[in-house]
Each structure stands twice: as structure tokens, then as C-alpha cells.
Amino acid sequence: MPNILDSLWNSMALFLSALFFHGMALRSIREKKPAWFQIKFANEIINYALGVYYGLLGVYFIIRGLPGMDSGIYTDMLLNILIVLHLFSSAGPATIALILIVTGKLLLGDALFANFIYVFLIIGFHFICMEVAKLRLSSVQKVVLVKLTAIPLMLFYLHQKIHLAYTLDSLPVWILYFAVSFFITFIIISASYYIDTSNKLIYDLQQSTILDPLTGLTNFRHFEKAFEAAFNYATLKKSNLSVIIIDIDYFKRVNDTYGHLAGNGVLSTFSQMLLKISFPPNTVISRIGGEEFAIILPNIAVSETEHLAEKIRRKVEKIDVPIVASGSIITISAGIANYDGSNYSSANDLLHAADQALYNAKRNGRNQVHIRETEPVI
């Protein structure tokens, strides 16, 4: 029995180490590539990579449980892998992990008949986890339920693997094993919950520092960093970089006439409209002032930028706004400046050029797009 308990604790330590590296990797990705978690395809790739990661961990546990490698029962962790993936990810990654585990069990196991029975049982356990994950129960209730359903599988496994007899004399050993197994599973689930929750809280905190709470767009602080980085990259690659600055026409009049709540409604509605437009990859949309917005567009020509700005201007005239009942129509003015890799010496110069173009659009009657003519650097 001491050997069984030792292997349980050792396998738990390995599992917790795997959870730690998993958490650190996701945190790093969230910091460096936050958009990946908002793009469906990229998010699925991350999830399936987790399935492969834990599937390979399961294969490692299978190897450690082979005769001559370890006298214990590392396979208990295979069930915990499926539990964690079903509760904290989804059925897809859990299925990937299951396929790797089943393959490893059939290829590496020493008793073919017993392995086929084990594979049949663990596949059944996988589908049980899938259904339990859908139930409206607390995480604790779900864990208890799936662990109870795992008892038949473990009864079979322990009897086959370490020849634990089905006798009354062995009953205390069975009870002690299942008690320790339940305890270890709850430790692993608690660690998974802590890592998952802390990562999401850190991400939300980071997002709160770069997002404008009213519009959901990035704020001026983030815009400055993103714009400087985009300009440096365009300079390095000698590529195009366009920036559009948008101002909602006569917005002060909206606030004075209809109140700040109506003004906030206009800002929110306009922002949601922007988010629904299909922009090129790596576009950054920010609110940089009260009613002023900026769009960073890497790697596109000035003609395409003008087309997008005109598209936005036309859409604004047609959108429903909180003050539409009064017959008011919201319009915008936009200024565009384009960097071709050499015509501006700094990001500030490019931004100033776009701001001048916006000023010209407003001076010429508003509700129009103006392009700042390229001025070569002297």
C-alpha cells in the first residue's frame, strides 16, 4: 500500500507541474497575443494544443506505469486529465487527449486483453465526463459525480494491475485508496481552478488599462504604443502605414441639446458600428478623445484607406442613434495620412498630418473625408 500512495503523490506532483507550465504558457500568450483568444480559429488551435499537451502527459503516465518502471498506479491521473479538460476546456481537447491516451495504452501496454477492456472503460468515462460537464451543477458536484462513475474502472484496474483482491480483508486498502484518490483529484481541480481564474483576472486587469469603458475600444494610452510600434515596423520594412482620425460632427451640440447620456449613447453606437466593419489584419481602433477616434491600418494603400473612411462616413449617416426620434442625423469628419516608408520622419509627424487633414475636412464643411497630401522629408 505505501507504494500505491507514493505513486499517487508523485503523479499528483507531476500533474501539478504540468498545470503550472500550462498556466504560464497561456498567460504569456494572453500578454503577447491577446487577439488570439478573441479569434475563433486561433482560440480553437490553442484548445486543441492543450489536448495534445495533456494527451502526451497521459502517455507519459502510461509509460511510468509499465512493469519495471513503477510499481504504482499512475493511470489514475489519466482520469484526472479528462476531468480537467472537460471542466475547464471543452469536449474537443478532451477527445484529442483521449485519442493519444488510448493509442498509448494499446501500443505500450503489456496485457492486450486487459488493455482493450481498459480502453473501453476510459472511453465510456470520457462520454460520462462530457455529459456531466453540461449539467447545471457546481464544480464540486461535477467532480464528485464523475469520480463516483470512475469507481468501476478503478476496481477493474487495481485488480488487474497490482492484484488487489476483491475480499473483505482488502476492503480497508480499497477505501484508503479511493479516499486518497478523491483527495488528490480535488487538489488538482482546485489548482486548475486557481490557475484558470487567476489568468483570466490578470488578463481582465490588463484589458481594463487599455480599454475605454464606454466604447469598448482601446484607449489613447494603448493607441500611442500601438501607433509607435506600427510606425517603427513600417520604417523597418519600408511598408505602408495609414492612419484615420475621425471626429463626430457637432458633438458638443448633441451633449448640450440632449444631455450627456444621449451623447454617450451616440459614442457607444458609433463604436459598435466600427467593430462590425471588416478591417484588414492588425487594424487598431481606438478612442483617443471625447468624440475623436483613430484607426491604424498597416500595409494598405492610401486609396484603400480612403475607401474605408468613406464607407464609415456613409454608414454613420444611416445608423440608428439614441436621438434619432428628434430627426437629428449624426455625421463624421475624417482625416487620413499615409506613410510609405520614408515620407515622414516620426510617428508624431504622421499623426499630426492626419490631424491636419481632419481639420481641413471640418473647415471645408464637415461630413467628409480629407487626405493629407504627402510631404517628402527634407
Side-chain angles (χ1 to χ4, degrees):
M1 189 62 190
N3 288 337
I4 297 176
L5 296 179
D6 284 345
S7 67
L8 275 173
W9 286 109
N10 290 338
S11 57
M12 180 189 71
L14 285 171
F15 203 121
L16 292 176
S17 298
L19 282 174
F20 172 78
F21 289 116
H22 157 207
M24 292 298 293
L26 285 187
R27 182 177 299 181
S28 178
I29 293 173
R30 276 195 173 99
E31 289 175 355
K32 296 178 180 178
K33 300 289 184 180
W36 286 10
F37 291 88
Q38 298 166 5
I39 301 172
K40 184 178 179 181
F41 177 75
N43 200 30
E44 287 180 352
I45 293 296
I46 292 172
N47 280 330
Y48 286 118
L50 285 178
V52 173
Y53 174 73
Y54 282 104
L56 294 175
L57 177 66
V59 173
Y60 175 75
F61 283 138
I62 292 170
I63 294 172
R64 289 299 299 266
L66 292 175
M69 292 292 293
D70 194 280
S71 60
I73 44 173
Y74 278 85
T75 197
D76 193 56
M77 293 299 111
L78 303 183
L79 305 185
N80 288 328
I81 286 172
L82 296 180
I83 294 172
V84 167
L85 288 176
H86 276 291
L87 291 184
F88 296 97
S89 185
S90 62
T95 302
I96 295 295
L98 176 71
I99 292 171
L100 290 173
I101 289 170
V102 166
T103 302
K105 193 66 178 175
L106 292 176
L107 295 179
L108 300 173
D110 55 329
L112 187 60
F113 178 72
N115 286 338
F116 270 114
I117 296 177
Y118 182 88
V119 164
F120 174 78
L121 291 173
I122 200 170
I123 291 174
F125 181 74
H126 167 72
F127 284 107
I128 290 172
C129 289
M130 189 184 302
E131 293 305 313
V132 170
K134 299 175 184 177
L135 299 178
R136 293 183 178 180
L137 301 173
S138 67
S139 295
V140 173
Q141 291 172 322
K142 290 178 180 179
V143 171
V144 170
L145 186 56
V146 295
K147 285 295 288 185
L148 289 175
T149 62
I151 289 177
L153 188 153
M154 297 314 298
L155 284 171
F156 164 79
Y157 175 76
L158 291 177
H159 179 68
Q160 295 288 328
K161 182 72 176 179
I162 57 177
H163 308 295
L164 195 54
Y166 298 135
T167 64
L168 288 177
D169 291 339
S170 300
L171 185 59
V173 179
W174 285 105
I175 293 174
L176 180 59
Y177 166 74
F178 282 114
V180 173
S181 177
F182 266 73
F183 178 67
I184 287 176
T185 296
F186 275 104
I187 290 177
I188 289 172
I189 293 300
S190 298
S192 301
Y193 177 79
Y194 173 79
I195 291 171
D196 184 64
T197 303
S198 60
N199 276 355
K200 288 178 180 177
L201 286 174
I202 291 172
Y203 175 73
D204 290 342
L205 181 62
Q206 290 171 336
Q207 289 296 102
S208 69
T209 64
I210 67 171
L211 292 182
D212 174 62
L214 175 62
T215 63
L217 304 176
T218 55
N219 56 27
F220 182 68
R221 179 182 177 184
H222 178 75
F223 169 79
E224 282 187 309
K225 293 181 179 179
F227 189 53
E228 186 71 30
F231 185 87
N232 291 339
Y233 182 83
T235 301
L236 180 66
K237 298 295 183 179
K238 300 298 181 183
S239 58
N240 283 326
L241 174 65
S242 292
V243 59
I244 307 173
I245 300 182
I246 298 171
D247 188 88
I248 299 177
D249 295 330
Y250 302 111
F251 186 74
K252 185 177 183 301
R253 185 184 301 174
V254 173
N255 277 336
D256 292 343
T257 305
Y258 305 103
H260 288 282
L261 287 179
N264 288 344
V266 171
L267 293 173
S268 179
T269 302
F270 173 66
S271 301
Q272 292 305 307
M273 183 272 295
L274 284 178
L275 291 173
K276 292 177 182 177
I277 293 177
S278 178
F279 286 101
N282 302 316
T283 296
V284 177
I285 309 172
S286 304
R287 181 189 180 194
I288 61 173
E291 69 273 17
E292 199 165 73
F293 300 80
I295 303 174
I296 304 171
L297 295 159
N299 299 314
I300 71 169
V302 66
S303 58
E304 188 177 352
T305 305
E306 182 183 15
H307 173 76
L308 281 169
E310 280 290 347
K311 180 180 179 180
I312 294 169
R313 187 190 65 80
R314 291 193 299 269
K315 278 183 171 292
V316 170
E317 291 180 321
K318 299 176 182 178
I319 61 174
D320 294 327
V321 294
I323 57 173
V324 72
S326 66
S328 300
I329 297 176
I330 299 299
T331 62
I332 61 166
S333 299
I336 297 172
N338 179 263
Y339 176 61
D340 62 11
S342 62
N343 56 335
Y344 291 100
S345 60
S346 69
N348 283 337
D349 289 341
L350 179 60
L351 187 62
H352 178 70
D355 197 54
Q356 282 295 114
L358 172 63
Y359 173 77
N360 291 336
K362 294 166 71 173
R363 185 181 59 182
N364 292 340
R366 290 182 166 82
N367 191 23
Q368 58 186 272
V369 175
H370 194 277
I371 303 173
R372 179 69 172 177
E373 296 297 329
T374 300
E375 296 178 3
V377 177
I378 299 175

